[in-house]
Amino acid sequence: MSDATNDESPAGQAAPASPPAAAPDAPGSNPPAEVDLGRRRFFRQFAAEVIHSAAQAAGAAGALQRAASDAAGALLNPESAFGLNEPMPPVNPMIAATPAPAGGTGLPGPSAPQANPALGESRGFRTAFRMDEDRIVFIDQRKLPGALVEYPCADGGEVAIAIKEMVVRGAPALGQAAAYGLALTAGHSRSRPPSERRALLRGAATALRQSRPTAVNIAWAVDRMLARFERLGDLAEDGEVVANVLRGEADAICAEATRDHGLLAGHGLAVLPAAPDRELRLLTHCNTGPLACGQFGTALGVVQAAWSANRRLEIFVDETRPYLQGARLTAWELVQAGVPYTLIADSAAGSLLASGRIDAVLVGADRIAANGDTANKIGTYPLAVLAARHLVPFYVCAPLSSVDLATLEGSTIPIELRSEDEIFQISQIRIAPRFGKAWNPAFDVTPAELITAIVTEEGVLRAPFGSTLAAAVAAKAEHEAAAHLAQFADRGRQPAAGEAGPVPAAEVVG
Ligand code: MRU
């Protein structure tokens, strides 16, 4: 399933025959050769990443340290990380990270995050975490862009705390972090009695599920891990088997995300409007890069693909009040990748869109309901309204793990309410008197009719989203099952119990 139509307006609306009066230069049509070349280049690079991650999923010793998290392991010299000292020259292609050092960093527990030692000059996007022996080591996103520090977690309970505290955030990264959290819990409970191990896994799963309610990727990953555990049957008595199988499942989730985000980025690249002889101007909200996704990113993954394809870009970045994921994290990621950007206050988006200077709005998703209604960072809905008003295409970029077919429409998506302090203060500096109350929903819901298309790994989905989302989810399940069987057919044997392939949706326990 894919679709590569350029130059379109929000759901069902016809693009204007001529650009809005204020538009200095409207999108024209792209020479196909340019797009093809760019896509080829992107996919060549992407394929190398996937091969890397496939090694990881297959459980090759030590591969995890190098694979999907290799870019995270290539932590920067903190001074060049956020461009305070000197501007970083543009770097294309997008990923120029160096591998993590062998042997890990030997950092202490989560209560004592440390500044990361400079590991040499390296540029490109970085992923949110890496695996270090029997810990998951996050980039502490609360500290960015001021400091680049790591935050290790030993098990699912610690990962749940890290998620709650926003050390790691962004829906796809949260799913992967939750999966590794459970795998670590299984690893640490190898020699416990089976009933105790089961209780520890169940406890960690509950903590993870409750850590943040809106991003469905957490529940998706936890359910998949528990379903894998339940499928072990009698083998669940063996702590070694449980630890290996759950680590393998977490690796698979991570490797699939790498592959899926790369595919998504390629599909997104194909629908970007053309902008001959000038920068393509994209507006983005929150942070949707590798920090939020573990690998390429969703909306920012499309930006990476475009950058890698040598498209000239100007990315307008919403600062994303109140938590400032755009200003702190997206800007940081773009600086490192050398992609030019312009930071705006969220409230400037209306004027910017009215000026005709934006070719498309790209956002991510924390949960997409069965009808296409999409929960994403607070402020996404007003952007969608503005995009519709100004006939600018509005793309939601999300992997299918963010689609929740069991939630029929947006009004039933749980919306996380966060602390009033995030409104009253910025980085612990009080910016408003603390007498009244503050209302701080972390997400809003954009109705499906305001969405031009949903860009997924299965292609670009269009209205009616009820049927296109269901078809994409079904197609993906079919591809996964076929790929799994092919893998064993190649090896000339049947899968053993612990290896039994994609867990059927009906078996995924909630
Ligand atoms: O509260 P956050 O920072 O976890 O919110 C993140 C977002 O809203 C992202 O846009 C979303 O997770 C989608 S893409 C990574």
Side-chain angles (χ1 to χ4, degrees):
M1 309 178 70
S2 72
D3 178 340
T5 316
N6 280 353
D7 295 350
E8 51 202 330
S9 52
Q13 293 171 3
S18 52
D25 35 18
S29 59
N30 226 15
E34 187 193 323
V35 171
D36 283 345
L37 196 68
R39 292 195 82 196
R40 267 205 300 279
R41 197 174 300 122
F42 174 72
F43 276 109
R44 247 201 325 271
Q45 191 147 26
F46 161 56
E49 285 284 302
V50 170
I51 288 163
H52 214 37
S53 289
Q56 169 189 79
L64 186 54
Q65 223 171 326
R66 300 189 306 275
S69 55
D70 61 354
L75 292 168
L76 293 174
N77 170 343
E79 288 184 346
S80 63
F82 46 99
L84 287 186
N85 294 342
E86 55 182 79
M88 303 269 277
V91 180
N92 255 356
M94 61 184 180
I95 292 174
T98 51
T105 57
L107 289 175
S111 53
Q114 282 189 355
N116 193 65
L119 299 177
E121 178 82 359
S122 118
R123 301 225 165 101
F125 288 85
R126 266 134 203 98
T127 56
F129 63 86
R130 64 188 176 88
M131 297 304 290
D132 176 16
E133 303 290 327
D134 53 358
R135 295 178 303 177
I136 183 168
V137 183
F138 297 107
I139 291 178
D140 188 341
Q141 298 188 33
R142 299 169 304 178
K143 305 278 196 291
L144 290 172
L148 190 60
V149 298
E150 290 189 315
Y151 184 107
C153 292
D155 59 26
E158 289 187 6
V159 170
I161 292 169
I163 291 174
K164 211 171 172 49
E165 300 290 320
M166 302 288 276
V167 171
V168 57
R169 28 71 44 207
L174 293 180
Q176 293 159 52
Y180 277 118
L182 283 178
L184 289 171
T185 296
H188 289 302
S189 58
R190 269 189 178 85
S191 47
R192 301 284 186 99
S195 59
E196 214 175 290
R197 181 164 48 250
R198 178 178 291 272
L200 286 169
L201 281 170
R202 288 271 164 197
T206 304
L208 287 162
R209 250 198 224 101
Q210 290 175 351
S211 57
R212 293 194 72 193
T214 304
V216 73
N217 308 58
I218 299 178
W220 172 86
V222 165
D223 291 349
R224 181 168 152 175
M225 294 289 286
L226 288 187
R228 173 61 77 222
F229 173 65
E230 296 301 345
R231 281 185 124 203
L232 285 174
D234 290 346
L235 286 173
E237 304 283 302
D238 185 330
E240 201 62 42
V241 169
V242 174
N244 290 340
V245 165
L246 291 193
R247 178 57 180 260
E249 192 68 9
D251 287 349
I253 285 173
C254 191
E256 288 166 25
T258 305
R259 176 200 64 198
D260 292 346
H261 298 169
L263 291 170
L264 181 163
H267 292 307
L269 173 61
V271 291
L272 287 180
D277 310 324
R278 67 163 173 84
E279 286 84 15
L280 177 71
R281 297 173 191 132
L282 304 172
L283 174 59
T284 184
H285 192 63
C286 196
N287 171 256
T288 60
L291 284 173
C293 301
Q295 290 80 28
F296 299 99
T298 53
L300 224 56
V302 177
V303 168
Q304 288 189 57
W307 185 244
S308 171
N310 286 337
R311 295 286 303 263
R312 289 169 56 197
L313 298 178
E314 173 146 31
I315 309 302
F316 286 85
V317 177
D318 269 356
E319 62 175 354
T320 317
R321 273 283 286 151
Y323 207 70
L324 299 175
Q325 288 94 331
R328 296 190 303 109
L329 307 176
T330 300
W332 185 77
E333 288 190 316
L334 292 175
V335 166
Q336 290 180 67
V339 180
Y341 69 87
T342 301
L343 186 62
I344 61 165
D346 300 342
S347 44
S351 303
L352 182 64
L353 281 155
S355 77
R357 291 174 66 203
I358 294 298
D359 298 309
V361 179
L362 303 183
V363 299
D366 278 77
R367 188 184 298 230
I368 301 176
N371 71 346
D373 291 351
T374 295
N376 191 49
K377 180 51 55 195
I378 191 77
T380 302
Y381 167 54
L383 272 189
V385 173
L386 285 164
R389 170 73 180 81
H390 297 290
L391 300 174
V392 172
F394 184 90
Y395 293 112
V396 169
C397 307
L400 291 172
S401 56
S402 300
V403 173
D404 176 11
L405 293 181
T407 295
L408 298 185
E409 48 159 56
S411 63
T412 53
I413 296 176
I415 299 295
E416 176 184 6
L417 272 182
R418 293 187 57 84
S419 157
E420 295 183 347
D421 286 340
E422 288 179 2
I423 305 287
F424 284 118
Q425 58 193 44
I426 294 181
S427 298
Q428 286 159 356
I429 296 172
R430 176 71 50 82
I431 57 160
R434 193 72 172 79
F435 296 112
K437 291 186 284 187
W439 182 55
N440 186 15
F443 302 95
D444 58 25
V445 175
T446 299
E449 75 244 30
L450 294 176
I451 298 170
T452 305
I454 301 176
V455 181
T456 74
E457 65 271 30
E458 282 289 325
V460 178
L461 313 181
R462 293 175 191 278
F465 292 116
S467 52
T468 54
L469 281 168
V473 169
K476 176 154 191 203
E478 246 174 63
H479 298 157
E480 298 289 357
H484 186 75
L485 285 180
Q487 196 187 332
F488 285 99
D490 282 353
R491 293 187 215 154
R493 66 178 177 84
Q494 290 300 306
E499 304 168 319
V503 181
E507 272 183 47
V508 171
V509 286

